[in-house]
Amino acid sequence: MVESIGKDAWLRGEGQDADIVISTRVRLARNVEGFALKAKLAGDEEVALVQHLKQRIGKVKLAEKQQFVDLKPLDDVERLLLVERHLISLDHANADSERGVIHDDQGSIALMLNEEDHLRLQVLGSGMCAEEVFDRAFAIEDDLQGVVEFAYHSRYGYLTSCPTNVGTGMRLSVMMHLPGLAFTKQIDKVFNAVARMNLAVRGFYGEGTKALSDLYQISNQVTLGKTPEELLNDVRSVIPVILRWEREVRNQVLKADRVGLEDKVWRALGALRSARTMSSSEAFEQLSHVRLGVHCELIPDLTIATLNELFLLCQPGHLQTVVCGGKAIEPRKRDIVRAELLRSRLGGR
Amino acid sequence: MVESIGKDAWLRGEGQDADIVISTRVRLARNVEGFALKAKLAGDEEVALVQHLKQRIGKVKLAEKQQFVDLKPLDDVERLLLVERHLISLDHANADSERGVIHDDQGSIALMLNEEDHLRLQVLGSGMCAEEVFDRAFAIEDDLQGVVEFAYHSRYGYLTSCPTNVGTGMRLSVMMHLPGLAFTKQIDKVFNAVARMNLAVRGFYGEGTKALSDLYQISNQVTLGKTPEELLNDVRSVIPVILRWEREVRNQVLKADRVGLEDKVWRALGALRSARTMSSSEAFEQLSHVRLGVHCELIPDLTIATLNELFLLCQPGHLQTVVCGGKAIEPRKRDIVRAELLRSRLGGR
C-alpha cells in the first residue's frame, strides 16, 4: 500500500482550472436486486453480498490494475489511509460489518462494497473534469449492469438506503480551493449561489465534515426528478461563476495590497519550513496560503502537485504510514513528525 | 556617520554573561560652576556653555579618536541614529536648544553637552562590565576636573537639575535580555527584587520608555547618601541573582518542553527569514526569541553579535540611514525595507 502513497492521479494538480479545482468526483449509489437494503441486512447476508459483488465485479475490467481490499482485517491506520485517499468513506472505515473496496492503482476508481448502499461506485479526477468522470462512471456502471442486477423502480429510479439518494443515486462533487474568497470574507456569496441552484457545499471528507482550510466541496443536493445529465449541467453551470469570483478576488487583493499577500504566503511557507511541531489543522491552513502564493506566482520553485501531496501526507493516516511505517503514534509525537516531514519536503531548516 | 553603523563596541556580544547582559552603562551628571542650571539658562548662555565645554573637553584625550557633533544642524534621522546608538538621549535629540555630543569612534564614550545637565558623561560596554565602565567613567571625570570646574556642594555632593540626581550624579544601568523569565511570566520576581534593593527597572531607551521585547534595564534609583562604590555594589549584587533565575528558567523550559522552545525560536527565525513586511516591535520580539534560541544552542550558525546588530539596524533611524541613505521614509515602506534587511542578513528567501 505504501508504494502508492501520494501517487494518486487526482493529486497531480493537472487538468482544467487546477489552480482552484483540486479534484472532481462522481459517485453512484446502487443496491443489488435480491438483497435487503443495508438496514435490514443480517450479518451472514452481508458476507454473501460482499462475496457476490466481489466475484461479479471481478469479471469486469475496471482499469489496467485493480484490487479488492477486505476492510475487516485492516488496522485503524490502514483504514484511515484509504479514507484520506478518498477511496472509502469515514463511515465505511469505522463500520464493523463485512465490507470491502475495489480500487484501481491510480486512485481514480473505487467501488465500496456494503457501505450505506450495497455498492458505491466512485470516479475521481484531477482539476475540473466533471464530464470525464461522469462519462467514465456511467461507462463502468454499464459494464457492471452486465454482471449485477441493480434494484430499480420504474417510477423512482435506482433505490437507495437513504431517500435523498433515490433516483439517479448520483452525486457529483467538485473540490475547490477558495482562499481568496475566504480571506476576503466573501465565501457566503458561494454558499448563496450554490443554495439557489439546489446544490450543497460540504467539507473535505464529505457530508457532515468541517471545511478544511479554504477547501470547499460543491455538489448536487437532489438526485431525484432530474436526469444525470441535468445534474451534471447544474454543477457545471455554477463552477465557472465561483472560479471567476475567486480569480477576481485574487486579482483585486494583488492590486490593492500585493505586499500584504506576499507577506501572508511567504510567512506561511516560513512557518512550514521552520516549525518543530505542527497540528494538522495548522498545516492545512499554512499549505492553503502557500498554494495561493504559488498560483498567484508569488512563490517560485514549488509545484501544486507537491502541495497537494503534502495536504495528503499531513493527514494522520498517511503520516503514520509514510514516516512511521504504519505504526500508530500519539498526537503530540505526530505533530513533531508532521513538522519534520514538512521541513524536509519544503527545503526547511 | 554611516561607516560606523553597527560597529559600536557594546554590540559585540562579548564580555561576561553576554548571553543575558547586552550592555552595561554608567553615566555621570555634572554641571559647570559659573553657569546657571538648565532651567535658568538663557539662549546665549547655552551657546556659551556648549562652546566652553567643547573647547575645554577638546583638550582631554578621551580615546584614540573622538569627535564633537553639533546636534542643531542635524536632521531627524541623523539625531535618531545617535539615540539608537545610545550616544544621546531622546530628550537631547528632540530639544531645540544649542547642544552637542562628544563621542569616541567605538560608541563607548559619549558626553552630552547641555542635556538636562550641562554635561552627561557616559561609558558603555558589552556584556556585564560594571566595574570596568565605572572605573573608566571616573577616570575620564578625573581628567575633566583638570579643565572644567563642576558645581559641587560639600554636603549634597554634585548639584544637578533634577533633585533625584543630586549627590553622585551617577546612574549605573545593566541592559538584560530576560526572555525566559518573561516567557514563563516570572518577570515580576525581578521587579520585586530590584525594588527591594532601591533599584529601578527601565525600558530600552531609558526612563519613561516601554520595555522592548524582553529587554530590561536595571539601574540604581538613588544617587544621594551613598558613595559611587556603594551604588556600584548595589547593582552588582542583584545582577547575579537575576542571571541565575533566567538561566534556571531556561533550563527548566528546555527540560520540560524542549520541542516547544525549539518550535518557538525556529518559527521566529522563519518569520524573520520570510516576512515581506515587519513592524519594528514585531522584529524585536522575533529577534528576542531567536537570541534565546542561539543561547540555548537550539540554533547554530548565528552569532549574538549579528542579532545585536539587527536589533540596532531595525530601529527607524538606522534603517533609514543604512538602507535609504538617510532619507526619511514613511512607516509602511519602512516595514517593507526592514523585512528585506532581515531576510538578507539572516539568509532568508
Side-chain angles (χ1 to χ4, degrees), chain A residues 256-257 259-260 262-263 266-271 273-279 282 286 298 332 336 339 346-349, chain B residues 256-257 259-260 262-263 266-271 273-279 282 286 298 332 336 339 346-349:
Chain A
D257 184 15
V259 171
E262 283 180 337
D263 190 56
W266 275 99
R267 279 176 185 254
L269 185 56
R273 282 172 165 170
S274 308
R276 262 53 188 167
T277 172
M278 192 176 275
S279 68
E282 189 197 341
Q286 306 285 20
L298 301 174
R332 212 184 106 90
I336 296 172
L346 291 170
R349 283 174 273 198
Chain B
D257 185 16
V259 171
E262 282 180 338
D263 189 57
W266 276 98
R267 279 176 186 255
L269 185 56
R273 282 172 165 171
S274 309
R276 262 53 190 169
T277 172
M278 192 176 276
S279 68
E282 189 197 340
Q286 307 284 21
L298 301 175
R332 212 185 106 90
I336 296 172
L346 291 170
R349 283 174 275 198

Side-chain angles (χ1 to χ4, degrees), chain A residues 25-38:
Chain A
R25 175 161 51 151
V26 71
R27 72 112 171 94
L28 302 176
R30 296 290 182 264
N31 287 279
V32 183
E33 196 59 57
F35 286 87
L37 290 182
K38 176 80 176 176

Side-chain angles (χ1 to χ4, degrees), chain A residues 37-48:
Chain A
L37 290 182
K38 176 80 176 176
K40 304 246 174 181
L41 204 61
D44 56 342
E45 292 172 320
E46 292 187 308
V47 175

Side-chain angles (χ1 to χ4, degrees), chain A residues 230-303:
Chain A
E230 283 168 335
L231 295 174
L232 170 66
N233 286 331
D234 283 354
V235 172
R236 282 205 304 188
S237 67
V238 79
I239 302 300
V241 179
I242 302 174
L243 283 169
R244 200 179 62 236
W245 286 341
E246 173 66 18
R247 292 216 174 91
E248 274 171 10
V249 135
R250 289 181 184 186
N251 286 334
Q252 280 162 14
V253 172
L254 271 172
K255 258 191 202 157
D257 184 15
R258 189 183 178 88
V259 171
L261 191 61
E262 283 180 337
D263 190 56
K264 189 186 169 81
V265 304
W266 275 99
R267 279 176 185 254
L269 185 56
L272 292 165
R273 282 172 165 170
S274 308
R276 262 53 188 167
T277 172
M278 192 176 275
S279 68
S280 57
S281 62
E282 189 197 341
F284 293 140
E285 198 183 310
Q286 306 285 20
L287 285 168
S288 168
H289 295 336
V290 172
R291 199 178 189 282
L292 175 63
V294 170
H295 263 300
C296 290
E297 295 179 5
L298 301 174
I299 297 177
D301 307 327
L302 250 182
T303 67

Side-chain angles (χ1 to χ4, degrees), chain B residues 270-338:
Chain B
L272 293 164
R273 282 172 165 171
S274 309
R276 262 53 190 169
T277 172
M278 192 176 276
S279 68
S280 58
S281 62
E282 189 197 340
F284 294 141
E285 199 184 307
Q286 307 284 21
L287 285 168
S288 168
H289 295 335
V290 173
R291 200 179 190 280
L292 175 64
V294 170
H295 263 301
C296 290
E297 296 179 4
L298 301 175
I299 298 177
D301 308 326
L302 250 181
T303 67
I304 286 298
T306 299
L307 294 170
N308 285 356
E309 191 191 349
L310 286 174
F311 264 108
L312 188 72
L313 295 183
C314 278
Q315 293 174 64
H318 277 76
L319 198 68
Q320 290 171 92
T321 306
V322 173
V323 186
C324 309
K327 223 180 64 191
I329 49 173
E330 47 130 11
R332 212 185 106 90
K333 173 86 177 127
R334 225 183 272 164
D335 290 349
I336 296 172
V337 167
R338 182 178 296 109

Side-chain angles (χ1 to χ4, degrees), chain A residues 112 118 153:
Chain A
M112 284 188 274
H118 296 162
H153 186 280

